[in-house]
């Protein structure tokens, strides 16, 4: 089979009856071409099927035009919505987002950093779950990296975090202030490490201590973060006859599963059991009843991540790393009183 010939800028110029410089001006959006000539060039581009070689263009400039986003799971709604916000912000600066999955594993996270240049990323955004901070500090990479996640990390990289402790404390404090005294925590880990589960559990425990209400460890059900896990956690409490009058779920997805289990058990929300999630996903406002949740500062997180990476990509002077914590806020809806 004969290989199809590649259409060049010179081919477009001949077809449109203009110079290659004029075609270049049209392709690059320069305001040096009259309207009629521009239309003629665009028509030739369409007719011939000409495609701009963006990779070659970016490589000549020392850039690829691509930013990597490495997250534990592609399926988790929080990361999907974060990716959408980041894509909008980076596209305004002529950059594209490419997502990859680390599996929340040490190997996956290390590879995302080590191979970011081989994958032709201008920079990398990495959600850190399992990597050892010491290993991270020794990584040999000159690509700009912005970390997101809860773990303590070396200062050589930018780190943008949500306020897990403060958000969980605010959610739990509201439940206590509204009369709840036995708040089930779904997905947390009391006295756990400084990861998402441990930090949100710290906020939960802090609110109890400040209200003078003891924490019952039997109300903490550890689980993963799928819908089924939230459902199973509530069923576990009910099957063991452990009483509770409120639920603090570590993610909205877990809260959604919990709501289904409560409905199946004919428990009314919020009359019998109040529920608060964490992440304030877009879907939260459309549940019945609508889900109260902690908004971790989605827009602020995306803006901070973008600003830090662009500072490294666009500045002539070296940019030092920063650690930023984005405030969280409670959004009250139909699952709380």
């Amino acid at each position: 089979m004969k290989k199809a010939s590649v259409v060049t800028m010179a081919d477009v110029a001949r077809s449109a009856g203009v110079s290659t410089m004029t075609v270049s001006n049209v392709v690059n959006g320069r305001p040096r071409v009259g309207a009629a000539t521009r239309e003629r060039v665009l028509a030739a581009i369409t007719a011939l099927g000409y495609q701009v070689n963006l990779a070659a263009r970016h490589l000549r400039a020392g850039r690829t035009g691509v930013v990597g986003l490495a997250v534990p799971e592609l399926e988790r709604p929080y990361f999907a919505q974060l990716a959408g916000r980041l894509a909008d912000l980076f596209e305004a600066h002529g950059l594209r987002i490419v997502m990859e999955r680390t599996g929340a594993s040490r190997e996956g996270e290390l590879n995302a950093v080590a191979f970011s240049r081989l994958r032709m990323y201008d920079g990398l955004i990495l959600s850190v779950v399992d990597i050892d901070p010491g290993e991270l500090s020794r990584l040999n990479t000159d690509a700009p990296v912005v970390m997101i996640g809860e773990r303590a990390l070396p200062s050589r990289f930018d780190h943008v975090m949500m306020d897990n402790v403060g958000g969980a404390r605010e959610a739990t404090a509201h439940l206590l202030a509204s009369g709840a005294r036995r708040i089930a925590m779904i997905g947390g880990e009391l006295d756990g490490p400084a990861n998402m589960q441990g930090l949100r559990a710290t906020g939960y425990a802090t609110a109890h201590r400040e209200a003078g209400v003891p924490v019952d460890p039997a109300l903490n059900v550890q689980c993963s973060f799928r819908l089924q896990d939230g459902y199973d956690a509530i069923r576990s409490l009910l099957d063991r006859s452990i009483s509770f009058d409120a639920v603090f779920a570590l993610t909205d997805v877990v809260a959604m599963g919990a709501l289904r289990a409560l409905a199946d058990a004919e428990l009314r929300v919020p009359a019998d059991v109040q529920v608060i999630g964490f992440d304030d996903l877009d879907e939260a406002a459309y549940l019945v009843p609508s889900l109260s949740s902690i908004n971790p500062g989605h827009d602020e997180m995306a803006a901070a991540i973008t600003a830090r990476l662009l500072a490294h990509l666009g500045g002539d002077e070296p940019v030092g790393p920063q650690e930023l914590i984005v405030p969280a806020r409670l959004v009250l809806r139909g699952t709380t009183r």
Side-chain angles (χ1 to χ4, degrees):
M1 181 180 293
K2 184 178 180 180
K3 186 177 180 180
S5 60
V6 176
V7 178
T8 67
M9 192 176 289
D11 296 329
V12 174
R14 280 193 297 271
S15 177
V18 298
S19 67
T20 54
M21 179 57 71
T22 298
V23 176
S24 177
N25 288 338
V26 171
V27 168
N28 290 286
R30 301 186 186 110
R32 305 172 188 171
V33 184
T37 302
R38 183 180 300 276
E39 289 300 322
R40 196 161 71 248
V41 171
L42 291 174
I45 287 173
T46 301
L48 296 174
Y50 173 68
Q51 293 182 342
V52 180
N53 190 337
L54 291 175
R57 178 193 293 177
H58 285 302
L59 287 172
R60 284 194 296 270
R63 296 280 176 81
T64 66
V66 176
V67 171
L69 172 61
V71 298
E73 300 172 5
L74 301 180
E75 301 86 354
R76 193 178 297 182
Y78 170 78
F79 291 118
Q81 292 182 22
L82 174 64
R85 287 177 168 86
L86 290 171
D88 289 340
L89 292 173
F90 279 112
E91 282 174 10
H93 295 273
L95 295 165
R96 297 282 181 175
I97 285 282
V98 172
M99 289 185 71
E100 62 176 278
R101 179 175 59 183
T102 65
S105 71
R106 168 186 169 276
E107 182 180 7
E109 292 168 6
L110 286 170
N111 286 342
V113 178
F115 297 135
S116 59
R117 275 299 187 190
L118 294 179
R119 292 180 178 131
M120 300 178 69
Y121 298 157
D122 290 336
L124 177 69
I125 303 159
L126 174 64
S127 176
V128 180
V129 177
D130 195 46
I131 197 170
D132 179 77
E135 290 179 303
L136 194 59
S137 65
R138 294 189 295 271
L139 278 176
N140 183 22
T141 178
D142 57 354
V145 178
V146 175
M147 302 289 178
I148 57 177
E150 292 76 23
R151 301 193 63 191
L153 300 171
S155 60
R156 65 177 287 204
F157 297 118
D158 285 296
H159 191 189
V160 179
M161 297 173 283
M162 64 179 68
D163 188 2
N164 286 286
V165 175
R169 174 182 170 276
E170 188 174 2
T172 308
H174 176 81
L175 293 171
L176 291 166
S178 65
R181 285 298 176 268
R182 290 188 57 77
I183 304 172
M185 179 172 59
I186 308 302
E189 187 175 351
L190 291 168
D191 301 319
N195 54 19
M196 183 267 278
Q197 299 94 310
L199 293 173
R200 293 183 189 178
T202 296
Y204 166 88
T206 299
H208 278 81
R209 184 173 62 253
E210 292 172 344
V213 177
V215 170
D216 182 354
L219 291 169
N220 177 201
V221 183
Q222 296 182 30
C223 64
S224 296
F225 300 103
R226 302 167 302 169
L227 288 165
Q228 186 67 47
D229 296 314
Y231 185 94
D232 290 344
I234 294 298
R235 287 304 324 168
S236 172
L237 291 170
L238 295 173
D239 291 344
R240 289 180 288 148
S241 299
I242 297 176
S243 64
F244 58 97
D245 53 13
V247 173
F248 169 51
L250 259 67
T251 71
D252 282 0
V253 171
V254 171
M256 292 174 194
L259 286 172
R260 180 67 206 194
L262 292 169
D264 286 353
E266 299 184 351
L267 290 168
R268 299 168 300 163
V269 177
D272 298 324
V273 180
Q274 299 184 76
V275 179
I276 295 182
F278 201 118
D279 287 338
D280 195 26
L281 299 177
D282 293 343
E283 295 85 352
Y286 298 94
L287 300 175
V288 180
S290 57
L291 177 64
S292 296
S293 185
I294 293 294
N295 185 311
H298 296 294
D299 293 335
E300 295 85 351
M301 284 277 293
I305 293 166
T306 305
R308 292 311 303 160
L309 203 52
L310 290 175
H312 290 285
L313 294 176
D316 295 328
E317 298 295 325
V319 178
Q322 292 185 9
E323 182 177 279
L324 304 171
I325 300 178
V326 176
R329 61 185 176 87
L330 176 61
V331 180
L332 294 176
R333 298 193 182 96
T335 57
T336 49
R337 297 193 291 269

